[in-house]
Amino acid sequence: MPELTMVEALNLALKEKLAEDDRVVILGQDVGVDGGIFRVTLGLIEEFGPERVIDTPLAEAGIIGMAIGMCMNGLIPLPEMQFSGFSYTAFHQIENHVARYRWRTRGRFPMPMVIRMPYGAGVRAFELHSESREAYWAHTPGLKVVIPSTPRKARALLRAAIEDPDPVVFYEPKAIYRAFREEVPEEPETLPIGKAEVVREGSDITLMAYGAMMPRTLQAADMLAEEGVSAEVIDLMTVSPMDDETITASAKKTGRVVVVHEACRSFGPAAEIIARLNDKVFFHLEAPVARVTGYDMPPPFFAREQLFLPTPQRIADEARATLAL
């Protein structure tokens, strides 16, 4: 199996779906000739032509508006937002039209599109380039929110998102776009949307994370293992709809849980997970569910952005505090 970066794995998924289905169309600023801001779409315009890989002006609302029209006429558009922080200019189109059209038209006009957005801090980028606002989209009925953490999962989840009949916001953790390589099967594969994965079995405490926080969470689990602590690690992969079955089963098993994300602390995905665990497995918990997150502020400029992000040390410290209760 070839070893690919996440960027290469995403490019592979797009190439496969363009070849498999004539209805698939990519559009966005610089996705064609330049191959995308992070080169995820590199080489696709040469193979599939400018009618399938469409360069657009810098106009996020217009990009999503065109994608809506494409869906209504039977296509499967894959619009790219260069950075998630720029998607808010298209918020009206996504919230009021993409997320609602299937419901509003009683199923007459489904919106089978995948909106790809690089997100997150850690690459020394400018303001509006480092945000982690998955809660906005997860809070919007009608949208699914998928966030991969490895190259193999990125390829499999993006294929699944394109095949999904409903709109998917596909958040790509740019901090690990090229951080490591992983073997990716030559044969196409998909992973189910809405399912989490237990990536490391454990018995003392559960650590839950997704996206760019997964490598840091696994490092924290290694640190705890050196102290004799058996940490179970769960990769959510889909933030919405959330896999209640997997997260509650692990919480019942270990009795202690720490949730990790780089999004701001207040009203974030961790708060939703804690509420669900309180609802469903409260009497199995041995300690309050803890969270290690970003802070309630915009991501700072690059000199201090690592202080904003959860570190393996912060995650391990919170796990130790939870185990001590």
Side-chain angles (χ1 to χ4, degrees):
M1 291 189 288
E3 290 192 347
L4 304 181
T5 64
M6 183 176 288
V7 164
E8 293 167 340
L10 291 167
N11 180 272
L12 175 61
L14 294 172
K15 184 177 179 178
E16 289 171 345
K17 295 309 295 184
L18 282 165
E20 292 172 13
D21 193 334
D22 290 340
R23 297 173 300 165
V24 174
V25 176
I26 295 172
L27 68 159
Q29 186 195 13
D30 296 334
V31 298
V33 175
D34 284 348
I37 184 70
F38 291 100
R39 304 297 182 260
V40 172
T41 54
L42 189 67
L44 298 180
I45 192 171
E46 287 81 2
E47 186 166 353
F48 297 97
E51 293 185 349
R52 305 275 312 275
V53 184
I54 304 168
D55 274 323
T56 70
L58 175 56
E60 285 80 6
I63 294 169
I64 298 300
M66 283 190 286
I68 293 168
M70 290 176 173
C71 285
M72 296 177 73
N73 286 279
L75 298 178
I76 302 175
L78 313 180
E80 176 183 295
M81 305 282 101
Q82 283 204 342
F83 292 91
S84 64
F86 299 152
S87 64
Y88 313 133
T89 57
F91 192 89
H92 169 76
Q93 293 277 21
I94 299 172
E95 208 285 340
N96 281 338
H97 301 313
V98 175
R100 296 173 189 247
Y101 250 44
R102 183 172 201 158
W103 174 79
R104 178 184 290 167
T105 63
R106 306 301 186 264
R108 183 181 177 192
F109 291 118
M111 290 284 124
M113 76 169 71
V114 180
I115 307 173
R116 295 181 37 250
M117 304 184 194
Y119 85 96
V123 297
R124 302 173 66 82
F126 297 108
E127 188 185 9
L128 301 177
H129 292 62
S130 301
E131 303 189 349
S132 183
R133 300 287 192 267
E134 57 272 28
Y136 287 170
W137 311 117
H139 190 66
T140 302
L143 295 180
K144 297 176 180 177
V145 181
V146 176
I147 307 180
S149 63
T150 71
R152 183 170 182 172
K153 289 177 181 175
R155 187 260 201 122
L157 288 169
L158 182 54
R159 284 184 55 87
I162 296 170
E163 294 170 5
D164 197 285
D166 291 316
V168 176
V169 171
F170 198 86
Y171 249 34
E172 298 174 4
K174 59 181 178 288
I176 54 175
Y177 258 160
R178 293 182 172 83
F180 59 92
R181 291 182 177 272
E182 183 184 40
E183 289 189 342
V184 176
E186 293 182 1
E187 291 298 316
E189 64 176 357
T190 59
L191 282 171
I193 290 176
K195 289 295 294 181
E197 179 186 12
V198 178
V199 296
R200 178 172 177 150
E201 297 277 354
S203 57
D204 296 329
I205 191 167
T206 299
L207 308 179
M208 298 183 188
Y210 53 87
M213 292 300 102
M214 276 306 301
R216 294 169 180 239
T217 301
L218 288 167
Q219 290 179 45
D222 288 339
M223 295 166 64
L224 294 167
E226 292 176 0
E227 302 164 16
V229 175
S230 174
E232 183 151 291
V233 180
I234 290 179
D235 183 355
L236 285 182
M237 299 197 291
T238 302
V239 174
S240 179
M242 197 170 284
D243 182 0
D244 284 349
E245 182 179 357
T246 299
I247 65 175
T248 56
S250 185
K252 288 172 67 175
K253 174 183 174 183
T254 67
R256 291 178 167 83
V257 178
V258 176
V259 186
V260 183
H261 61 60
E262 66 178 283
C264 298
R265 186 178 186 85
S266 297
F267 312 103
E272 175 63 26
I273 293 171
I274 292 169
R276 293 186 185 210
L277 294 179
N278 281 338
D279 283 344
K280 299 180 178 179
V281 294
F282 179 78
F283 292 105
H284 295 271
L285 297 175
E286 302 290 340
V289 179
R291 50 184 167 168
V292 183
T293 69
Y295 299 99
D296 291 337
M297 57 179 286
F301 289 113
F302 43 78
R304 293 176 175 79
E305 67 177 345
Q306 290 300 328
L307 299 174
F308 174 87
L309 293 169
T311 63
Q313 188 64 52
R314 278 179 61 193
I315 299 166
D317 286 346
E318 194 62 52
R320 294 187 191 99
T322 301
L323 287 162
L325 293 173

